[in-house]
Amino acid sequence: MRLGFPLLLASLALPACGGSASDLDRDCSFATGPVTGDWVPLFGGHSYDWLYLSHRVAYLRAGVERPNDDGSFEVPLGLIGGDWSTGQFYDDYPWYRVDHTRVSTDAVQGWFGATDLLVPARGRVDQTVTVDLAATGLPEQGRKVVVLQGLCFDTDVPLAGDYTGAYDPGLGWTVRGFGADVRPGIATDESLDVDLRVHFQAGPLDRSDLNEAIPFSTVKATILYSILNVPDGDITHAEHGSSMFYATQGQSYSDTPLLPEAERRVLIDGRAGHAAAVPLLHGFDFELNAAHDPDRAGRYLRGWHARIDGFDYEPDSGRAELLVDGWASHSSAFQEGDLEVEFRSNLSLLQLPEEAAPVRGHTTGYFEIGQPLGSRRESVDAP
C-alpha cells in the first residue's frame, strides 16, 4: 500500500541536523604527485546508497589518493543531495563503498594528477592535459598507462548571468547522466597527453524552478588520474555495457534489482604465463532514460554503483574474469517515472610479473545519523 506523503514522513521520523547544502563542506581536492613508497593504489570504482529517499545530486566525491611512503592511503568521499537530505526539511544518510587494488612499485611506478573542469548545461566536456613526463619522476623506459583514480562533482556554481530565477544550484540537479573517462593521447619522449571526458547532465522533472534553471547551469568537476609506468607487462583493453529498465511509475519503494551475474561478467583473454594481474578502471558512464523517454527526464536517485565488484585470474591461460556492477535506482516514496539505465565502463587487464604482489580491498562505511553530509576521508592502512 502506498503511504500518503505526510504519513510517510512521520513514519520515517527523520531527525533534522540542519544546514543548507551550500554551507556543507564540499571539498573537491585530491592529493597528487609522484608515488615514492612501495605501493601504488588503484581505484576500482565506487557506490553510494541513500538510507531513506531518492535525491538530487548536489555533490559527489570518490577516489583513491596518492599513497604515503608506508603504503597507507586516503579514500576521499562525499555526498550531498537536495534539501530533503541536509536537514533543511529532513535528513538522509548514505552508505558507500570504494574498491581498490595495491600493486608493488617493483612492478609499477605511478604519478597522480588532478584537473578541474566546468561542465556546461549540455552535459559533456572534453579536455586534454599535457603532462611533462620529466616532472613526474617516472622512469623513461616502460609503457605508460593512464587510469581513473577518482572524481568529484559540485553543483554549487553560480548560474549564468542572464538567469533571473531563484533556484539555488547548490541544491543539486535531477540527473539524466554522469560519468568520467581518462585515456592516453599523443605521446612523445618528453610528454604525454591525457584526454579527459566528463559527463554530468541535468534533466527536468517535477520542480518548475529547477527545470527553468537547467539551461543556465554549470557543474564543477575534478578528475583524479594516474600515469602508470609498466616496465614489464601486458595490457588488454575491454569495454562493458549493460542496460536495465524498471517500470515503476506510480509505485513506492519498488524493487530495482541488480542485473544477473551473467550480464555483469566480463571475460578478458590476456597473454598466458604472467604470474599476476590486476583490473584497471579507465572510466564509466551512466545514461538515464535515453531510449524510451523523448523528454529525457531527470531522476532523483536512491543509489548507484559503478565499480569492479569481483576479479579472478588464471596465470596459466592469461584469462581474467571481472564482475562489473553498473546499477542505478530511484526506488523511493515517490517514483515520478519509469527508470531506464544504460551503463558503460572502460576497462583493462594489466598482467605483471610475480613481484607485483597485488592486494585487493575495499572501503565501506556510512554517514552517521546526526552528522552532517559533505566531504570526508577514510584511511587505509599499509598492507
Side-chain angles (χ1 to χ4, degrees):
M1 181 180 67
R2 179 174 177 173
L3 294 173
F5 196 46
L7 180 58
L8 170 72
L9 294 178
S11 70
L12 293 178
L14 302 175
C17 65
S20 72
S22 298
D23 292 337
L24 296 171
D25 186 349
R26 306 172 78 117
D27 181 20
C28 272
S29 64
F30 293 105
T32 60
V35 177
T36 57
D38 295 334
W39 296 92
V40 180
L42 303 171
F43 178 55
H46 78 288
S47 64
Y48 280 104
D49 296 272
W50 288 102
L51 180 59
Y52 293 120
L53 301 169
S54 296
H55 297 283
R56 289 164 279 183
V57 178
Y59 167 82
L60 159 64
R61 183 172 70 156
V64 167
E65 288 190 320
R66 180 181 64 85
N68 302 310
D69 287 347
D70 66 354
S72 64
F73 61 90
E74 297 288 307
V75 174
L77 298 154
L79 190 64
I80 302 173
D83 47 14
W84 284 79
S85 74
T86 62
Q88 290 172 264
F89 288 100
Y90 291 93
D91 287 322
D92 206 349
Y93 304 93
W95 64 95
Y96 51 81
R97 173 169 170 151
V98 171
D99 286 76
H100 40 74
T101 303
R102 273 182 278 215
V103 185
S104 170
T105 52
D106 291 337
V108 176
Q109 300 81 50
W111 175 87
F112 283 54
T115 298
D116 295 332
L117 308 93
L118 293 177
V119 186
R122 66 177 179 272
R124 293 187 182 272
V125 62
D126 296 345
Q127 183 169 317
T128 297
V129 179
T130 300
V131 178
D132 180 353
L133 290 176
T136 67
L138 294 172
E140 292 184 7
Q141 300 301 315
R143 183 172 187 172
K144 304 300 187 287
V145 181
V146 180
V147 295
L148 181 67
Q149 291 289 149
L151 70 158
C152 186
F153 292 119
D154 186 0
T155 68
D156 194 17
V157 178
L159 297 168
D162 53 352
Y163 174 68
T164 59
Y167 186 71
D168 177 6
L171 295 173
W173 305 102
T174 45
V175 295
R176 64 184 187 187
F178 62 95
D181 190 275
V182 298
R183 300 173 187 243
I186 297 173
T188 70
D189 291 340
E190 293 79 28
S191 66
L192 174 66
D193 284 354
V194 177
D195 295 333
L196 308 176
R197 304 176 183 180
V198 183
H199 178 205
F200 189 104
Q201 189 170 18
L205 195 55
D206 61 330
R207 299 171 182 263
S208 59
D209 56 345
L210 180 153
N211 299 345
E212 293 165 1
I214 287 175
F216 305 92
S217 65
T218 303
V219 174
K220 175 189 172 185
T222 303
I223 304 303
L224 179 67
Y225 52 91
S226 64
I227 299 176
L228 307 178
N229 183 71
V230 183
D232 182 17
D234 280 295
I235 186 168
T236 306
H237 292 280
E239 293 189 357
H240 175 256
S242 60
S243 61
M244 57 207 78
F245 184 81
Y246 301 121
T248 59
Q249 185 169 2
Q251 301 178 33
S252 294
Y253 293 108
S254 59
D255 189 24
T256 52
L258 297 178
L259 286 172
E261 185 171 306
E263 296 182 43
R264 295 185 283 134
R265 185 178 297 118
V266 183
L267 298 177
I268 304 179
D269 289 317
R271 182 175 296 181
H274 286 283
V278 294
L280 300 181
L281 177 64
H282 305 283
F284 72 90
D285 192 60
F286 285 103
E287 283 279 8
L288 307 182
N289 307 328
H292 294 90
D293 184 346
D295 296 326
R296 288 299 311 280
R299 288 291 180 263
Y300 302 100
L301 290 182
R302 180 79 176 277
W304 59 88
H305 303 171
R307 56 186 177 86
I308 300 170
D309 192 36
F311 178 71
D312 188 57
Y313 175 65
E314 298 175 351
D316 291 343
S317 67
R319 168 170 280 204
E321 178 181 301
L322 288 71
L323 200 63
V324 178
D325 187 0
W327 168 90
S329 172
H330 68 330
S331 177
S332 190
F334 297 100
Q335 294 153 184
E336 287 78 8
D338 301 333
L339 179 65
E340 179 184 18
V341 181
E342 295 181 10
F343 179 79
R344 298 289 181 271
S345 56
N346 178 14
L347 310 159
S348 287
L349 171 68
L350 178 59
Q351 296 175 277
L352 296 165
E354 186 174 0
E355 57 264 28
V359 179
R360 282 183 54 79
H362 58 267
T363 298
T364 60
Y366 57 90
F367 284 70
E368 299 83 358
I369 291 178
Q371 298 299 312
L373 301 175
S375 68
R376 66 186 299 172
R377 291 174 177 272
E378 296 281 4
S379 297
V380 179
D381 293 335

